[in-house]
Amino acid sequence: MTTLSEKILGAQAGTYIDRHVDRAFCHDGTGIQAKIIYDAIGAPGIACPDSVYIIYDHIAPANNSQTAELQAELRALAREYGVHFLDIGSGICHQVMAEGRVAPGEVVIGADSHSCTLGALGAFATGVGASDMAGIWVSGETWLRVPDSVGIHFSGSLSAGIEWKDAALSYIAELGMDGATYAAIEFTGESASSVPMEGRLTLCNMAVEAGAKTGLFYADKETEQYLAGYSVTCQLQVPDKPDYVKDCYQDLSDLEPVCAVPHRVDTIKPVSDLAGTSLDQVFIGTCTNGRFEDMARAARLLKGHRVKVRTIVVPASEHDYLKAVNTGVAADLIKAGCTIGAPGCGPCLGAHMGVLGRGEVALSTANRNFKNRMGVGASYYLCSPSTAAASAIYGEITDPREVI
Amino acid sequence: MTALKGSGPAVCIGEDIDTDLVIAGRYLRTKDWNFWAEHVFEDLDPGLAKRLKGAVLVAGKNMGCGSSREQAARALHEAGVLAVIAPSFARIFFRNCINVGLPVLECELPGCHDGMTVLFDCTEGWIEVDKARYIFRPLSSGMQEILSTGGLIEYWKRRLNR
């Protein structure tokens, strides 16, 4: 029967459609490129300014004058057309959009590959490049090919010290880096309803690492409750025996802490096999794992300890940062010796705030460990916030179950 | 206008080439498209950039995975690549190539050696190497329209002037 993508897009898999875009967002990096294309097209204006968001997160605050000048240009465009503009410190575009700016059933297009994160809310959310974003500014719509869907069926429950990030890395390893290319991933099964929103955001965020167009959870009571916190009305979605082109079964009870090893996100090893690997840096943050719950889990382990390796924590949003401050989580992190950065992407894309040097080894809660990305000649492992925190305490890769 | 058919010597690259390897994050913040052409593939093979003018890039599966950065497609186009062939593409890179006017051909070739002559026709959907012809599904009519006008800038200019 019909998949959630087919329902939202109103057409069968394989069909090409032109679709109105409910939310269109970009960041400082893709936004300036979209502006260049938009200016070159010479359109009379932005078609639906109220659905357009520009959120500064990638190199925020600016790292040099050239970046600052480009960012100033984009600020001017935002002012001129009256689109939603969220300046430095607001947070990572995906997280900021998830904070009450997206509702289930919407079509959400972001000029960033991790836009699939917002499928956690039951929206059809996918990434495009700068030209496509400029086209959406011009017309309010874009073309899409309705994707086939891959089903990931969850059963069981996570054990202590195991996180949704471990589940995410495990499903990516099972599918492979192109295991869901052009397809949507639907997270379903008897345990799907028990996945909290922060876990859904982490799981959907990584869908693109398997090549997927998006990752989706059906909007349920958890979605309703989460969105009620932002006064957003939630239309519930019920699976209609959807037809999947591929199925992947994951018993959450069987999972253990894992790392994706350099330099492939689909190549994982149990943390216990890597224990003792010496580290130069630990980074906790990003659109995958920079949320309040991630920082809180890290803080719980770090409390009363002092990190043995430089540790950078970058909150995913102002909202998450403030919550960390108000609950004492931020203080615990600072007392443990962590450096807290301004909300945003941090060093993930290798541009600022903790880029690695040649030969350095790091642990990161991000979603990509591509060669040279976070520092030329460096190597880094991807893991959960608990694994990152436990490893920061000892300065080497450590199984979080030994610390909790 | 983009040439939907052509020929050129092959430049072979591997599987799962991510867009960070096509153009590194540290080079993204500029309006100078030629700057990306100078630094294209720098972290993969610094000698590659000079060999791309008039070449057909032949990649392994999952070409262009990772970041949505359009600069990757733009860098290849500016460097003079005529077309990119791969058995599969990451979807955002695929769209970006079409949007910058760079033909993408989803086709598995039996092998690749640098310099082999590759003939291609996007409209009819074939590639010819060493007199052997490989058929692939042509691009959708919508994608062909964007590509043939030279990319999304020209495409939207035309649409707005209609």
Side-chain angles (χ1 to χ4, degrees):
Chain A
M1 299 284 282
T2 322
T3 65
L4 187 49
S5 298
E6 290 172 324
K7 268 190 201 162
I8 296 173
L9 298 175
Q12 276 190 323
T15 316
Y16 287 93
I17 58 161
D18 287 316
R19 178 62 152 84
H20 168 72
V21 177
D22 299 304
R23 313 279 162 194
F25 66 95
C26 61
H27 50 70
D28 48 307
T30 51
I32 192 68
Q33 299 303 327
K35 181 185 179 294
I36 294 167
I37 306 298
Y38 176 82
D39 289 344
I41 292 169
I46 288 180
C48 308
D50 197 41
S51 65
V52 172
Y53 297 76
I54 298 174
I55 303 163
Y56 279 15
D57 60 8
H58 266 52
I59 304 186
N63 60 340
N64 60 36
S65 301
Q66 188 178 4
T67 305
E69 285 157 20
L70 293 172
Q71 292 188 358
E73 265 190 51
L74 192 56
R75 270 191 200 96
L77 173 136
R79 257 198 311 273
E80 184 182 347
Y81 292 105
V83 304
H84 300 273
F85 180 70
L86 293 108
D87 212 325
I88 62 157
S90 304
I92 308 172
C93 55
H94 313 297
Q95 180 59 23
V96 170
M97 291 304 290
E99 292 169 355
R101 293 176 178 87
V102 166
E106 290 184 341
V107 172
V108 179
I109 308 289
D112 187 274
S113 61
H114 291 110
S115 304
C116 52
T117 309
L118 293 154
L121 296 161
F124 185 87
T126 192
V128 296
S131 290
D132 274 320
M133 185 49 58
I136 295 168
W137 289 356
V138 170
S139 66
E141 60 178 47
T142 197
W143 68 267
L144 291 166
R145 181 177 174 275
V146 182
D148 288 322
S149 293
V150 170
I152 295 192
H153 306 262
F154 288 133
S155 61
S157 58
L158 294 179
S159 310
I162 325 294
E163 296 189 9
W164 299 108
K165 179 60 167 293
D166 296 304
L169 291 170
S170 300
Y171 90 72
I172 297 295
E174 184 161 342
L175 289 174
M177 272 170 72
D178 60 347
T181 296
Y182 306 129
I185 293 175
E186 291 196 1
F187 296 96
T188 184
E190 62 192 52
S191 298
S193 61
S194 70
V195 184
M197 187 51 69
E198 50 117 353
R200 297 180 187 199
L201 290 162
T202 300
L203 289 159
C204 289
N205 173 270
M206 291 205 65
V208 69
E209 307 310 329
K213 191 165 197 161
T214 189
L216 298 119
F217 270 83
Y218 285 79
D220 59 9
K221 290 233 171 324
E222 167 69 12
T223 323
E224 193 173 39
Q225 200 179 344
Y226 171 84
L227 287 174
Y230 297 100
S231 308
V232 174
T233 320
C234 174
Q235 198 83 40
L236 298 181
Q237 298 160 332
V238 181
D240 186 14
K241 293 184 186 152
D243 290 322
Y244 297 131
V245 291
K246 194 188 281 188
D247 293 277
C248 173
Y249 295 87
Q250 203 174 53
D251 185 342
L252 299 168
S253 315
D254 289 344
L255 296 178
E256 57 181 326
V258 290
C259 283
V261 301
H263 296 280
R264 287 185 66 97
V265 64
D266 63 355
T267 308
I268 60 170
K269 282 189 180 167
V271 170
S272 51
D273 286 5
L274 300 163
T277 306
S278 184
L279 298 169
D280 298 297
Q281 179 171 298
V282 171
F283 168 44
I284 298 169
T286 77
C287 49
T288 322
N289 282 124
R291 278 172 273 282
F292 167 74
E293 293 84 352
D294 298 311
M295 290 186 283
R297 278 194 291 269
R300 210 153 39 235
L301 299 193
L302 286 164
K303 196 172 183 175
H305 295 276
R306 189 78 191 169
V307 294
K308 277 220 176 95
V309 60
R310 64 179 196 262
T311 300
I312 298 165
V313 180
V314 180
S317 73
E318 178 187 321
H319 179 269
D320 283 313
Y321 194 6
L322 195 57
K323 200 167 171 186
V325 169
N326 289 338
T327 53
V329 162
D332 288 340
L333 293 170
I334 293 167
K335 283 180 202 161
C338 300
T339 303
I340 301 188
C345 304
C348 176
L349 63 152
H352 70 341
M353 283 168 68
V355 180
L356 299 162
R358 205 170 286 279
E360 288 196 313
V361 181
L363 207 51
S364 162
T365 64
N367 38 44
R368 286 189 179 137
N369 57 350
F370 297 157
K371 195 173 184 183
N372 297 332
R373 176 176 161 94
M374 207 163 80
V376 178
S379 48
Y380 49 104
Y381 298 78
L382 306 179
C383 67
S384 74
S386 287
T387 299
S391 304
I393 295 170
Y394 294 100
E396 57 186 41
I397 295 181
T398 304
D399 191 321
R401 292 171 297 187
E402 288 175 19
V403 183
I404 53 175
Chain B
M1 294 289 283
T2 300
L4 296 181
K5 55 174 83 175
S7 71
V11 168
C12 318
I13 54 171
E15 295 181 345
D16 299 317
I17 299 294
D18 60 74
T19 51
D20 275 76
L21 281 180
V22 182
I23 184 77
R26 59 189 180 278
Y27 296 132
L28 299 180
R29 298 296 179 270
T30 176
K31 289 178 164 183
D32 179 4
W33 293 354
N34 191 49
F35 177 75
W36 300 325
E38 286 167 21
H39 294 281
V40 68
F41 288 131
E42 189 171 288
D43 290 347
L44 179 71
D45 173 359
L48 218 49
K50 292 187 192 75
R51 295 167 41 214
L52 295 178
K53 194 164 181 60
V56 175
L57 190 65
V58 181
K61 70 174 178 68
N62 200 27
M63 173 60 198
C65 58
S67 160
S68 70
R69 62 189 65 171
E70 193 164 283
Q71 291 96 328
R74 189 75 68 186
L76 295 172
H77 189 251
E78 290 298 307
V81 171
L82 299 180
V84 187
I85 301 172
S88 65
F89 289 88
R91 52 163 290 280
I92 303 178
F93 177 75
F94 189 84
R95 273 183 91 119
N96 286 346
C97 285
I98 289 164
N99 288 344
V100 305
L102 176 61
V104 268
L105 293 63
E106 195 167 10
C107 183
E108 179 137 33
L109 299 179
C112 181
H113 57 265
D114 283 329
M116 71 184 191
T117 301
V118 182
L119 288 83
F120 64 90
D121 188 323
C122 284
T123 318
E124 292 179 10
W126 56 259
I127 293 165
E128 222 172 74
V129 181
D130 291 337
K131 291 183 184 153
R133 189 171 270 212
Y134 306 92
I135 308 295
F136 63 93
R137 194 176 55 180
L139 297 169
S140 74
S141 56
M143 286 191 263
Q144 281 197 32
E145 194 184 344
I146 296 169
L147 194 54
S148 61
T149 56
L152 214 56
I153 294 175
E154 291 306 316
Y155 171 84
W156 273 111
K157 274 188 184 171
R158 281 192 196 188
R159 259 184 80 163
L160 292 172
N161 288 330
R162 250 178 226 163

